């Protein structure tokens, strides 16, 4: 039985490293095929000029990141990009916009993108900022499978990172997404100067949602020129591995995504993250604005580690009772 209490989550995160990895891998194997990785592709459908002040983000209009703002992409261009991503092996297409929240005039285009990508047989994901109930319902109706909205860090550290909206605002949008019947994708960033307790509390918040997220992206901060976090010292990578292992143990059924920052990670570190329970990545050579390893490097990595990309049909999870029994045995 998993206990999300403060003491239990601390004990998990701070366990002797070998015990933590062993436990995480056993939990992982009780729910997933351990060499299969879900592959998503990201596209920025509206870049830069964002009114929010997220200290890590190159797309905030408040910082001089030398990124030029663009209008929302045309629907056909997005669909062309999605077709290429499908041909390259992605099974989920994630479209992101640098908005605080979508405006009514943005919705027809956004909904057309969801419908078009869905028709190609790809899973759809959007990340557009805060949503109203009505917008969430429209997205669901159009066929949206996942909505990404990160809590980013602990409630305690949040105000050090973002002041233009609150932690509670983020949780409200997650509730709206869940109520609309869309799968929740929510995680955060490590390496923003937070403590281990902040990382643990972030994971506890996610695991304690009425229904935990189906997808949990763990991003390593990519320091962006011109932002307040441009000169942040890198986090000890072992802390990243501990964060992933703790996410896996606290949210056994979630896909845990080794998200931003892979371009700065060695093969060995990525291998440890997969062993700790990460089973999803972003493919392709760009995230939203930042670099990602790209197809050739990932093909080599998958080959070296005998990993394979998940095919369209998600790996079936064991039935809940069966999974619970396996978990207890672990
Ligand atoms: N504007 C929308 C929002 O904030 O919800 C969607 C796009 S936003 C760029 C999506 C997420 O990307 C952020 O919540 C954050 O977790 C992650 N992110 C952004 N910049 C990052 C960076 N420099 N390093 C790591 N993760 C980053
Ligand atoms: C998430 O957790 N990470 C992705 C996605 N959700 C939208 C974004 C990563 C952004 C990295 C920095 C950039 O590309 O600008
Ligand atoms: Fe805007 Fe999202 Fe970047 Fe924050 S993370 S500045 S909301 S694009």
């Amino acid at each position: 039985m998993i206990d999300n209490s403060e003491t239990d989550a601390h004990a998990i995160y701070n366990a002797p490293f070998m015990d933590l990895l062993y436990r995480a891998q056993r939990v992982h194997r009780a729910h997933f095929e351990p060499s299969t990785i879900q592959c998503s592709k990201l596209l920025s459908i509206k870049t830069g000029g964002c009114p929010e002040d997220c200290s890590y983000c190159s797309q905030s209009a408040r910082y001089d990141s030398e990124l030029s703002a663009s209008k929302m992409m045309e629907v056909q261009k997005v669909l062309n990009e999605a077709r290429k991503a499908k041909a390259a092996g992605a099974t989920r297409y994630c479209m992101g916009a640098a908005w605080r929240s979508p405006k009514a005039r943005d919705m027809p285009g956004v909904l057309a993108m969801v419908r078009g990508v869905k028709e190609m047989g790809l899973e759809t994901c959007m990340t557009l900022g805060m949503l109203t109930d009505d917008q969430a319902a429209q997205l669901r109706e159009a066929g949206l499978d996942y909505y990404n909205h990160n809590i980013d860090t602990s409630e305690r550290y949040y105000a050090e990172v973002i002041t233009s909206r609150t932690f509670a605002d983020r949780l409200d949008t997650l509730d709206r997404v869940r109520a609309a019947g869309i799968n929740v994708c929510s995680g955060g960033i490590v390496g923003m100067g937070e403590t281990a307790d902040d990382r643990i509390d972030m994971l506890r918040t996610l695991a304690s949602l009425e229904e935990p997220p189906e997808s949990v992206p763990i991003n390593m901060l990519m320091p962006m020129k011109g932002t307040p976090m441009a000169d942040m010292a890198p986090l000890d990578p072992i802390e990243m591995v501990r964060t992933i292992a703790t996410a896996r143990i606290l949210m056994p059924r979630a896909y845990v995504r080794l998200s931003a920052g892979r371009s700065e990670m060695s093969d060995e570190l990525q291998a440890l993250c997969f062993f700790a329970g990460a089973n999803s990545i972003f493919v392709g050579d760009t995230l939203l604005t930042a670099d990602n390893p790209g197809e050739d490097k990932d093909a080599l990595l998958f080959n070296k580690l005998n990993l394979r990309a998940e095919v369209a049909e998600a790996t079936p999870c064991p039935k809940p009772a069966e999974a619970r029994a396996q978990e207890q045995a672990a």
Side-chain angles (χ1 to χ4, degrees):
M1 175 67 193
I2 293 144
D3 175 0
N4 297 334
S5 70
E6 196 176 337
T7 42
D8 203 57
H10 272 84
I12 293 170
Y13 186 98
N14 293 307
F17 191 64
M18 300 307 155
D19 295 349
L20 174 62
L21 283 193
Y22 182 60
R23 182 170 175 189
Q25 177 66 198
R26 292 196 66 167
V27 171
H28 190 44
R29 281 169 186 255
H31 298 275
F32 292 99
E33 201 291 311
S35 298
T36 302
I37 305 292
Q38 190 279 327
C39 296
S40 293
K41 177 76 178 80
L42 259 178
L43 176 71
S44 179
I45 60 166
K46 197 272 166 208
T47 306
C50 183
E52 302 283 300
D53 69 354
C54 313
S55 317
Y56 49 77
C57 188
S58 61
Q59 303 202 68
S60 167
R62 315 214 189 184
Y63 314 127
D64 188 13
S65 61
E66 292 172 5
L67 188 82
S68 44
S70 67
K71 288 197 178 139
M72 186 167 87
M73 273 174 82
E74 285 165 24
V75 176
Q76 277 315 318
K77 282 195 177 155
V78 172
L79 300 186
N80 290 343
E81 293 302 313
R83 217 165 276 122
K84 287 187 220 162
K86 185 172 184 196
T91 56
R92 188 176 310 160
Y93 203 60
C94 306
M95 294 158 271
W99 289 326
R100 173 175 168 83
S101 50
K103 300 205 167 44
R105 64 163 189 263
D106 303 319
M107 289 306 287
V110 159
L111 297 173
M113 290 172 196
V114 174
R115 283 188 212 102
V117 172
K118 183 90 181 153
E119 268 169 26
M120 286 175 205
L122 282 164
E123 288 184 317
T124 53
C125 176
M126 286 245 160
T127 177
L128 312 169
M130 294 184 278
L131 294 183
T132 62
D133 287 331
D134 186 49
Q135 287 170 332
Q138 288 179 47
L139 287 165
R140 177 69 205 120
E141 175 70 27
L144 189 70
D145 297 302
Y146 289 82
Y147 194 77
N148 167 245
H149 199 66
N150 292 339
I151 62 169
D152 279 344
T153 188
S154 68
E155 184 168 15
R156 183 180 338 107
Y157 196 60
Y158 188 89
E160 304 286 321
V161 180
I162 301 156
T163 67
S164 54
R165 49 171 156 66
T166 64
F167 195 73
D169 290 332
R170 293 305 263 190
L171 295 177
D172 280 352
T173 291
L174 293 180
D175 281 348
R176 295 199 168 101
V177 168
R178 179 62 81 204
I182 301 169
N183 291 312
V184 171
C185 172
S186 188
I189 309 180
V190 301
M192 298 193 293
E194 77 287 342
T195 62
D197 284 356
D198 291 315
R199 293 187 282 277
I200 295 165
D201 284 349
M202 172 181 87
L203 296 176
R204 284 183 55 225
T205 298
L206 294 169
S208 313
L209 294 175
E210 212 168 291
E211 274 182 78
E214 282 74 16
S215 163
V216 179
I218 305 294
N219 298 277
M220 176 78 98
L221 175 73
M222 302 187 79
M224 295 293 183
K225 205 164 160 265
T227 65
M229 293 196 178
D231 299 318
M232 188 62 72
L235 178 73
D236 180 341
I238 295 297
E239 296 295 310
M240 173 76 174
V241 182
R242 284 189 183 275
T243 305
I244 286 182
T246 306
R248 168 54 61 223
I249 294 164
L250 293 183
M251 293 171 276
R253 288 176 189 79
Y255 279 78
V256 175
R257 182 172 307 128
L258 179 55
S259 198
R262 287 200 303 118
S263 55
E264 300 303 311
M265 293 178 197
S266 66
D267 287 355
E268 297 88 327
L269 174 57
Q270 292 186 66
L272 263 184
C273 290
F274 294 133
F275 191 77
N279 61 345
S280 171
I281 56 167
F282 284 121
V283 294
D285 53 17
T286 325
L287 294 163
L288 291 172
T289 70
D291 289 346
N292 200 45
E295 214 178 313
D296 293 352
K297 274 195 185 151
D298 280 341
L300 283 173
L301 180 69
F302 272 43
N303 196 26
K304 247 197 243 189
L305 303 179
N306 312 96
L307 299 175
R308 56 188 164 268
E310 188 176 270
V311 287
E313 298 77 34
T315 312
C317 291
K319 290 188 186 72
E322 196 184 320
R324 261 201 305 278
Q326 283 172 347
E327 217 174 283
Q328 270 160 7

